[in-house]
């Protein structure tokens, strides 16, 4: 099961569109962010981002996960 930290990482990457920028926000290296996203994709059996070189963009599956993850984190933090 995904950790709260991993879900926060997912949302940071979705917001920033890069592992480096997301890592800067949450205090991780780009490599650590990428590893968390890879683990999440394996766990959910879905590719969440389209990758092209250094660019990363949410795909349809990833966009579909944003709102439920935001809701889950809001409940957790309440």
């Amino acid at each position: 099961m995904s950790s709260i930290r991993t879900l926060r990482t997912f949302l940071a990457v979705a917001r920033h569109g890069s592992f480096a920028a997301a890592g800067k926000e949450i205090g991780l290296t780009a490599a650590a962010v990428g590893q968390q996203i890879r683990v999440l994709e394996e766990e959910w059996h879905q590719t969440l981002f389209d990758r092209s070189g250094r660019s990363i963009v949410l795909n349809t599956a990833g966009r579909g996960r944003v709102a439920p993850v935001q809701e889950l984190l809001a409940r957790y933090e309440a």
Side-chain angles (χ1 to χ4, degrees):
M1 181 162 182
S2 305
S3 72
I4 295 299
R5 183 177 183 138
T6 302
L7 296 176
R8 286 182 179 140
T9 299
F10 166 70
L11 291 180
V13 175
R15 263 193 310 281
H16 293 287
S18 92
F19 291 160
K24 195 173 209 181
E25 176 187 326
I26 59 178
L28 295 173
T29 64
V33 169
Q35 179 61 30
Q36 284 188 15
I37 296 301
R38 279 188 292 282
V39 167
L40 192 60
E41 288 176 328
E42 288 173 11
E43 182 178 320
W44 287 350
H45 305 287
Q46 289 183 310
T47 301
L48 302 169
F49 296 90
D50 291 331
R51 295 160 172 88
S52 174
R54 303 190 96 187
S55 174
I56 184 164
V57 177
L58 274 172
N59 63 21
T60 302
R63 284 191 301 275
R65 295 285 186 152
V66 171
V69 169
Q70 288 172 328
E71 183 178 331
L72 179 70
L73 289 177
R75 288 181 182 189
Y76 173 78
E77 292 166 358

